[in-house]
Amino acid sequence: MENGTFSNGTWTDNSVEYKVVSILLVILICGVGIVGNVMVILVVLTTKHMRTPTNCYLVSLAVADLMVLTAAGLPNITEILFGGQWVYGYAGCLSITYFQYLGINASSCSITAFTIERYIAICHPIKAQFMCTLSRAKKIIVLVWVLTSLYCVMWFYLLDTREKVYDNAVLVTCGYRVSRELYLPIYFTDYAVFYVIPLLLATVLYGLIARILFLNPLPSDPKESRRNWKKSSSMHGNSMSSSNTTTVASRRQVTKMLAVVVILFALLWMPYRTLVVVNSFLKEAYLDTCFLLFCRLCIYMNSAINPIIYNAMSQKFRAAFHKLCHCRPQRSEKPPAYSVALTYSVIKETSNGESPDHYTTELDDIRGAAEELLPERKRLCFKESAKGTLATA
């Protein structure tokens, strides 16, 4: 990023006002993002019922966002302060750029992973019992980071520090050692693989999810449907109807939250991605300082805003954040003993996209029979040990 202007062989640094405003904005956005993403990681790692497949992908996204904020946002402050001068040396040029692109690519892959997981969980709940497990999510996350780490190794061979000599100054910059014609295909590959394809896939999958949630919101699990039919003729039909209503609302809430994450990813990355594409067809690249700063701020904001979305749209994350900050008295992590136990497709959605690593479906049948024979003991029968299915409020 060029911080300053070049005219007739003379380098002119940016004004003090520009430096102050831009540095304050970068510090504010990066500071909020670093604190928020650290909190996301902590609440998932320290809260037992938050360790679920969907939240594992969100932790992966939080780690990637932290990498972007620390490797791209913080070094940008020194570039602005010193008028474009690179102060981290050759090793810093290679490593910092590597971690920038690693965080960017890993965040895109994490978003794609939880989008696919949401689609399977809602549209194929039977398959989800075996595919959307905690152990599988961890393996996918490890695979994502290994592949993106290997892919980004190429940046060690594409970068170098160089001196730009002007009539009144000599600037050391971190840039590309290859010609523009050679690195443009790399940019377009990144643009397609880590932006266009994930967004097209997300558009299709969220469209299918919306069709299930808004046009046919009833659970698609045959076991759940059979149990609901039996209960509809019993005295507990009203409670099951209320539970189904809660399930649909929870599904929609989780889907909306993750869809907002994807939409903001598309919008906030659009200025920078568009600039790269446009400059690819221009003889002289458009490098307006203010617009470049705007593009950078949008990228930092994308990495900083996700924890705010979780807090605003997820009751579980909001409660976990409050507990982490000691804003509220600590409560038991276990669900209430009087809650109604549901099968996978319902559990997953009422816990904001969170599901245990294994589900016991046979116990659901036993529980259903117990309800019909011993309705007055409903509270006692529904209380589970750690080996049973999860209960949901």
Side-chain angles (χ1 to χ4, degrees):
M1 177 178 175
E2 297 289 344
N3 289 280
T5 57
F6 169 71
S7 178
N8 297 325
T10 303
W11 175 260
T12 303
D13 197 2
N14 292 312
S15 64
V16 176
E17 292 80 4
Y18 170 87
K19 289 186 176 182
V20 171
V21 173
S22 56
I23 290 176
L24 288 178
L25 288 174
V26 173
I27 291 176
L28 176 63
I29 295 174
C30 292
V32 171
I34 291 173
V35 172
N37 284 292
V38 169
M39 290 181 66
V40 171
I41 297 172
L42 290 178
V43 297
V44 174
L45 295 182
T46 60
T47 308
K48 187 174 182 180
H49 72 269
M50 297 289 285
R51 299 172 200 163
T52 60
T54 300
N55 287 351
C56 281
Y57 295 121
L58 296 184
V59 167
S60 176
L61 179 60
V63 173
D65 287 339
L66 276 175
M67 197 170 292
V68 173
L69 293 171
T70 54
L74 298 184
N76 186 227
I77 295 175
T78 57
E79 282 192 276
I80 296 173
L81 188 62
F82 294 101
Q85 181 86 358
W86 183 257
V87 297
Y88 300 104
Y90 175 74
C93 176
L94 300 184
S95 59
I96 289 175
T97 305
Y98 171 82
F99 285 114
Q100 287 178 9
Y101 283 96
L102 176 59
I104 292 169
N105 296 341
S107 65
S108 176
C109 291
S110 298
I111 289 175
T112 302
F114 73 61
T115 299
I116 296 174
E117 191 265 353
R118 282 289 82 203
Y119 166 74
I120 296 174
I122 294 177
C123 299
H124 302 282
I126 302 299
K127 293 181 180 179
Q129 299 185 44
F130 311 99
M131 298 181 65
C132 300
T133 62
L134 191 60
S135 59
R136 186 182 292 269
K138 291 178 180 179
K139 293 177 182 177
I140 292 174
I141 290 171
V142 171
L143 180 63
V144 163
W145 281 92
V146 169
L147 292 179
T148 52
S149 297
L150 294 176
Y151 175 82
C152 292
V153 168
M154 65 178 178
W155 291 106
F156 288 121
Y157 302 95
L158 298 175
L159 298 168
D160 197 2
T161 56
R162 63 177 61 183
E163 290 186 351
K164 291 186 176 181
V165 181
Y166 302 97
D167 293 342
N168 60 338
V170 177
L171 295 181
V172 177
T173 62
C174 174
Y176 302 99
R177 66 171 63 182
V178 297
S179 64
R180 183 182 180 189
E181 291 75 17
L182 293 178
Y183 71 72
L184 281 182
I186 300 174
Y187 265 132
F188 276 107
T189 301
D190 273 2
Y191 177 71
V193 175
F194 299 106
Y195 185 72
V196 176
I197 294 177
L199 290 184
L200 291 176
L201 182 63
T203 300
V204 173
L205 294 185
Y206 277 112
L208 296 174
I209 291 172
R211 185 182 65 176
I212 294 295
L213 290 182
F214 294 95
L215 299 181
N216 184 27
L218 294 178
S220 56
D221 190 340
K223 188 178 292 293
E224 179 71 15
S225 301
R226 185 175 67 252
R227 189 184 309 108
N228 290 347
W229 178 81
K230 291 179 180 179
K231 302 221 174 181
S232 65
S233 59
S234 68
M235 59 184 300
H236 304 294
N238 291 336
S239 65
M240 286 303 300
S241 177
S242 176
S243 176
N244 287 338
T245 301
T246 303
T247 297
V248 174
S250 299
R251 285 179 171 183
R252 290 175 177 173
Q253 180 189 30
V254 175
T255 304
K256 287 179 181 178
M257 182 187 77
L258 299 180
V260 167
V261 172
V262 176
I263 292 171
L264 288 177
F265 169 78
L267 294 177
L268 293 175
W269 270 96
M270 188 178 296
Y272 174 78
R273 297 290 188 181
T274 303
L275 178 66
V276 171
V277 173
V278 171
N279 280 342
S280 301
F281 299 99
L282 297 179
K283 292 183 178 180
E284 293 186 8
Y286 179 75
L287 299 174
D288 180 75
T289 303
C290 292
F291 186 74
L292 288 174
L293 177 63
F294 171 74
C295 293
R296 290 288 183 93
L297 292 178
C298 286
I299 295 174
Y300 307 152
M301 193 175 300
N302 174 75
S303 297
I305 202 171
N306 289 335
I308 299 175
I309 297 173
Y310 306 155
N311 184 75
M313 303 186 68
S314 171
Q315 294 180 355
K316 281 185 172 289
F317 266 105
R318 185 160 55 248
F321 287 151
H322 289 164
K323 181 180 177 180
L324 185 65
C325 297
H326 303 289
C327 296
R328 291 183 179 180
Q330 294 187 359
R331 298 179 180 179
S332 174
E333 294 181 0
K334 296 182 179 180
Y338 55 82
S339 300
V340 179
L342 304 173
T343 58
Y344 173 84
S345 60
V346 178
I347 296 173
K348 187 171 184 63
E349 308 310 326
T350 52
S351 50
N352 283 350
E354 300 145 4
S355 58
D357 188 47
H358 177 71
Y359 299 92
T360 305
T361 57
E362 296 174 355
L363 193 58
D364 290 338
D365 295 334
I366 299 174
R367 182 180 296 109
E371 285 184 336
E372 296 180 5
L373 296 175
L374 300 172
E376 68 280 1
R377 290 190 160 188
K378 181 177 179 180
R379 172 185 289 270
L380 183 59
C381 291
F382 277 58
K383 193 171 183 179
E384 294 277 358
S385 67
K387 294 181 181 180
T389 55
L390 289 183
T392 181

